[in-house]
Amino acid sequence: MNGAAVTESAMAPDPIAEHDLSEAEYRRAREILGRDPNLTELGIFAAMWSEHCSYKSSKKWLKRLPTEAPWVIQGPGENAGVVDIGDGQVAVFKIESHNHPSFIEPYQGAATGVGGILRDVFTMGARPIASLDCLRFGHPDHPKTRYLVAGVVAGIGGYGNCVGVPTVGGECTFHESYNGNILVNAMTVGLADADRIFRSKAGGAGNPVAYVGSKTGRDGIHGATMASAEFGDAAEEKRPTVQVGDPFTEKLLLEACLELMATDAIIAIQDMGAAGLTSSSFEMAGKGGMGMELDLDRVPRRETGMTPHEIMLSESQERMLMVLRRGREKEARRIFEKWEIDFAIVGRLTDTGRMVVRMNGDVAADLPIAPLADASPEYDRPWTAAAVPEQVKADSVEAPEDLGFDGVLDALRRLLASPDLASKRWVWEQYDYLVRGRTIQRPGGDAAVVRISGSRKALALSADCTPRYCAAFPRTGGAQAVAESWRNLTAAGARPLAITDCMNFGSPERPEIMGQFVECVEGMREACLALDFPVVSGNVSFYNETNGAAVQPTPVVGAVGVIDDIASMTTIALKGDGSALVLVGECRGHLGASLYLREIAGRTNGAPPPVDLEAERRNGDFVRRQISAGHVVSCHDVSDGGLLVAVAEMALASATPTGNMRGALLHLDDDPSPHALAFGEDQGRYVLEVAQDEADALMAAADAAGVPTRRIGRCGGAALTVNGEQTISLAVLRRNHEGWLPSYMAG
């Protein structure tokens, strides 16, 4: 220790296990130090080398994802990704998980997940303009599900509404695999000027290190290591590791940071997220090849008697660390004090390459930075490939009549009222999705659309994953998640730009789970390359399991696209009586791993629908050209539930404030079979509403482009009618579609 005293030498009876370090990792830590670490140092090693912070099991595979394109300004490795949207502006975005904290304490876990992703974005110099959330809950009959839904939704709404950032989209589904480990993934998108992007690379020996934001408490200690371990029966005992959020402080912190960013006082800035002061300080210094000295006596605290171990590992929220230019401290202090935010100079940069932490005049830690920040363990874990499942033939699946339903429309009614397809209006009406007045398309469509002030441009935003496909065959599921996000942007008339991913899996120490991860990544890679859709940021969340029962593999894909002129934007709502309905894409009636198979036929077997990426690209580019040319009245991609669900959703979306809706008269032929055509989940498909006198020309253009199309009917009436024989009132469908979730939450 270079002759310096080290405090906190006393250790727990089994400190290595308590900090979730393996024996091999502990031996490596001793080799790096040339001695035993003290308690503070052990906590720092454990946090920095946790799965959550170091990506030690995933980074080998994440390197295979494409991350570059001419419009990508910042790819993975910073707080958030950055893409050029033209006119000197950039979109800044990322998605993060807050799964374990939300299961233990749903309100605060979800709320602080929103707060953390907001900070990731404004740390880059961007003003957040929209958030999305992807929520996966356990089976509705599970005794904790209703409680978790209520807490998570309230937490997201409570935090986002107070900060003033609209929550404009996302997903909410239910499956028994999430009974013991829900998933809460939050995404935020912001806008910045292309020449005002801030990064976390520290530089300049002697420059001051400033702490800004809330005071430090004991909440969230060991949060990073808790997020890197599976649950057991005592999950509730981990409640003290969940952070507590304050959205009002976050709002003040956001405004203070953006005001200081308008100057040239900041050299580097980093959110204090997982592992708090530890990760932010090590990452900033590590990226710049610098050393740092920290004086913990100067850290603002809200609790007395805190130890260096607690201060360094606290995950108290609404905090940032920044490196300032020497001589700019007073200017920075003035701005933060104006916004009533704590500001303290807690250290300085050095050229030693070491982190030296002092408290009460003693050295609490003295560690080399590079081995912790840049040279964390990298594992090539064993993995097993998933078996290729058998295809489900359409003629092997019973028709609705054989299953006790009165035709396909009765099965449609049941599907629209199922937990996954039922309207999530109860959720998003608890969010302020209109605050700041930028929201053009509200939740409930293919993509949210948010206006870019001062222009005719807008951003289209989506977040998607179909976990049952990933469980059936991970490579196809990974590709489909990317393709569907691309399709959703296209359906709104947007040019897809890039994605951010949130990879939610069980334990990577189990070869079958690691295999799910590897193959999902490979599928995503193939889709990103085929669609020119690079990955610019993301997050991996492993150990999502309880007592060895893992969640379905859930690689959520958040996507951003740009609409150059909002006049060309499309929505899913049917708009004109007599308009033609045209289906784009090939129909094979694929029912394997479909919602029809699960919810109606009571089966979960079979391969997911194949993803033909060449056809996906060809079909999507054609649809986007037709939208841009003004030939498309409304558009909806075909996904969960298949064609009939897509048309029903378009009809229900047409509802006026008085409750009037526009129906459709459909013609479904016997190829491959009526129920397979109605509910098959073949990929790469869109339903277009087209003026009757333009339909032939559009279909001729599609034929010339090698894109299959077929007329499936026309708009009109207040019902859905199939083949002139079966009819169901839209009022009945709406009552079933919107009734399930409020009824469920009312108990």
Side-chain angles (χ1 to χ4, degrees):
M1 279 305 295
N2 303 321
V6 179
T7 60
E8 289 195 313
S9 59
M11 296 235 187
D14 191 358
I16 301 171
E18 181 181 305
H19 285 80
D20 288 315
L21 280 173
S22 70
E23 291 287 347
E25 289 167 346
Y26 183 73
R27 287 195 301 271
R28 176 61 180 145
R30 290 188 76 253
E31 291 171 3
I32 289 170
L33 290 180
R35 57 173 172 80
D36 288 326
N38 66 31
L39 182 60
T40 299
E41 292 167 336
L42 184 66
I44 290 171
F45 270 105
M48 292 301 295
W49 288 1
S50 68
E51 197 72 63
H52 193 74
C53 291
S54 74
Y55 296 90
K56 58 191 176 186
S57 298
S58 60
K59 54 188 172 184
K60 166 186 168 66
W61 298 101
L62 295 177
K63 293 173 185 175
R64 291 186 51 76
L65 292 171
T67 60
E68 297 179 351
W71 53 89
V72 173
I73 293 176
Q74 176 64 59
E78 271 295 341
N79 287 288
V82 183
V83 295
D84 187 355
I85 59 171
D87 301 316
Q89 288 184 301
V90 295
V92 180
F93 60 100
K94 189 181 181 184
I95 191 169
E96 278 271 9
S97 63
H98 230 223
N99 304 334
H100 284 45
S102 299
F103 181 76
I104 297 167
E105 173 49 63
Y107 185 95
Q108 291 296 347
T112 52
V114 173
I117 198 64
L118 288 170
R119 290 194 300 279
D120 281 338
V121 167
F122 74 74
T123 299
M124 301 291 293
R127 179 173 291 279
I129 62 168
S131 291
L132 300 88
D133 56 81
C134 286
L135 312 177
R136 315 284 171 184
F137 296 105
H139 194 282
D141 292 340
H142 190 273
K144 286 195 70 171
T145 298
R146 188 180 288 107
Y147 157 76
L148 291 168
V149 172
V152 165
V153 171
I156 292 169
Y159 205 101
N161 295 354
C162 291
V163 175
V165 176
T167 302
V168 297
E171 292 185 306
C172 177
T173 61
F174 299 80
H175 188 269
E176 61 188 11
S177 73
Y178 306 107
N179 283 350
N181 198 127
I182 65 173
L183 302 183
V184 175
N185 297 170
M187 174 181 170
T188 290
V189 183
L191 286 176
D193 292 334
D195 60 353
R196 301 298 296 169
I197 300 169
F198 289 80
R199 294 177 171 86
S200 57
K201 180 180 178 180
N207 279 326
V209 177
Y211 170 118
V212 300
S214 293
K215 291 179 170 61
T216 295
R218 289 188 171 93
D219 52 320
I221 295 173
H222 294 306
T225 51
M226 179 269 288
S228 304
E230 68 172 283
F231 284 148
D233 294 327
E236 294 291 335
E237 296 175 8
K238 296 181 182 286
R239 191 177 296 261
T241 64
V242 177
Q243 310 92 329
V244 177
D246 180 354
F248 300 104
T249 297
E250 178 106 340
K251 172 63 173 172
L252 299 175
L253 178 62
L254 183 159
E255 298 298 342
C257 285
L258 292 181
E259 183 173 338
L260 185 59
M261 286 169 170
T263 73
D264 64 348
I266 298 175
I267 291 175
I269 182 169
Q270 175 74 39
D271 166 41
M272 286 194 225
L277 188 55
T278 288
S279 62
S280 56
S281 59
F282 273 85
E283 288 173 9
M284 292 174 75
K287 288 177 181 177
M290 304 298 296
M292 187 180 292
E293 294 179 351
L294 290 175
D295 183 352
L296 300 189
D297 291 317
R298 298 182 180 181
V299 172
R301 280 164 278 171
R302 66 170 181 263
E303 298 185 45
T304 60
M306 291 188 70
T307 65
H309 179 272
E310 292 172 327
I311 295 171
M312 289 298 293
L313 296 180
S314 168
E315 293 185 10
S316 293
Q317 296 293 285
E318 296 88 37
R319 303 181 302 159
M320 314 282 271
L321 199 67
M322 57 180 67
V323 175
L324 302 175
R325 299 185 191 278
R326 274 177 290 183
R328 308 299 292 274
E329 297 93 329
K330 289 184 179 179
E331 178 183 2
R333 183 184 298 276
R334 176 185 58 79
I335 289 173
F336 282 95
E337 288 182 348
K338 182 188 81 171
W339 289 99
E340 299 182 345
I341 293 292
D342 277 304
F343 174 95
I345 300 298
V346 297
R348 68 183 186 95
L349 293 183
T350 68
D351 58 7
T352 65
R354 299 187 71 85
M355 181 69 65
V356 179
V357 181
R358 293 185 173 88
M359 187 171 178
N360 299 325
D362 294 325
V363 174
D366 186 347
L367 299 164
I369 290 172
L372 280 86
D374 305 323
S376 59
E378 180 173 336
Y379 296 137
D380 185 4
R381 295 198 185 274
W383 61 278
T384 55
V388 179
E390 291 186 8
Q391 297 286 336
V392 171
K393 295 181 179 180
D395 59 10
S396 74
V397 180
E398 296 89 343
E401 295 85 352
D402 298 327
L403 293 165
F405 293 91
D406 185 15
V408 295
L409 289 177
D410 191 28
L412 171 67
R413 178 191 57 77
R414 164 80 173 270
L415 270 175
L416 286 175
S418 66
D420 280 8
L421 285 178
S423 169
K424 302 308 184 295
R425 183 185 297 272
W426 181 91
V427 174
W428 53 260
E429 284 193 340
Q430 296 186 54
Y431 305 152
D432 191 339
Y433 51 86
L434 297 176
V435 65
R436 304 190 71 85
R438 296 176 182 263
T439 308
I440 305 173
Q441 283 205 43
R442 305 177 180 191
D446 283 324
V449 179
V450 182
R451 183 193 306 271
I452 298 173
S453 297
S455 76
R456 294 194 59 77
K457 297 196 308 186
L459 293 180
L461 317 172
S462 182
D464 296 283
C465 183
T466 310
R468 66 182 185 279
Y469 292 171
C470 299
F473 195 54
R475 186 176 295 252
T476 298
Q480 191 274 342
V482 173
E484 186 177 350
S485 67
W486 190 84
R487 218 162 44 234
N488 281 337
L489 300 182
T490 293
R495 173 166 40 91
L497 293 175
I499 69 170
T500 179
D501 58 58
C502 195
M503 311 288 282
N504 307 271
F505 292 80
S507 170
E509 298 170 41
R510 296 164 57 194
E512 68 275 18
I513 300 296
M514 195 65 208
Q516 292 175 345
F517 176 80
V518 169
E519 295 199 271
C520 278
V521 168
E522 289 300 295
M524 293 170 66
R525 177 179 186 273
E526 293 167 3
C528 288
L529 289 171
L531 302 174
D532 286 335
F533 210 24
V535 181
V536 298
S537 60
N539 166 240
V540 176
S541 176
F542 278 136
Y543 297 99
N544 289 290
E545 56 183 69
T546 297
N547 294 328
V551 300
Q552 287 186 318
T554 312
V556 174
V557 173
V560 172
V562 65
I563 299 173
D564 293 317
D565 187 344
I566 56 175
S568 65
M569 177 191 76
T570 43
T571 70
I572 74 170
L574 297 179
K575 297 177 179 66
D577 285 339
S579 298
L581 294 176
V582 176
L583 176 63
V584 173
E586 187 176 8
C587 292
R588 295 183 178 178
H590 194 102
L591 291 171
S594 68
L595 282 180
Y596 177 84
L597 197 70
R598 189 181 81 189
E599 299 292 334
I600 304 301
R603 296 165 51 184
T604 58
N605 62 306
V611 179
D612 182 336
L613 292 168
E614 289 185 6
E616 190 79 58
R617 180 66 184 262
R618 189 165 53 247
N619 296 356
D621 287 348
F622 169 78
V623 167
R624 203 178 309 108
R625 287 195 301 270
Q626 297 302 311
I627 291 173
S628 180
H631 300 317
V632 177
V633 179
S634 64
C635 178
H636 189 15
D637 87 306
V638 180
S639 55
D640 286 346
L643 172 60
L644 200 53
V645 166
V647 175
E649 289 173 340
M650 297 174 79
L652 294 175
S654 71
T656 66
T658 59
N660 293 326
M661 288 171 278
R662 183 168 283 107
L665 295 88
L666 303 177
H667 306 288
L668 304 184
D669 56 33
D670 293 330
D671 180 22
S673 65
H675 69 288
L677 179 60
F679 302 116
E681 295 182 6
D682 306 285
Q683 298 295 291
R685 298 188 298 164
Y686 304 79
V687 176
L688 308 183
E689 179 188 358
V690 183
Q692 197 65 245
D693 59 359
E694 294 190 28
D696 288 341
L698 182 142
M699 294 176 71
D703 187 58
V707 172
T709 59
R710 66 165 79 182
R711 283 181 186 253
I712 58 170
R714 60 182 174 84
C715 300
L720 286 185
T721 301
V722 174
N723 296 339
E725 300 172 354
Q726 301 181 45
T727 298
I728 190 168
S729 160
L730 291 179
V732 170
L733 282 182
R734 186 181 189 187
R735 190 161 56 246
N736 282 263
H737 182 51
E738 297 203 353
W740 180 81
L741 188 54
S743 176
Y744 172 71
M745 293 307 297

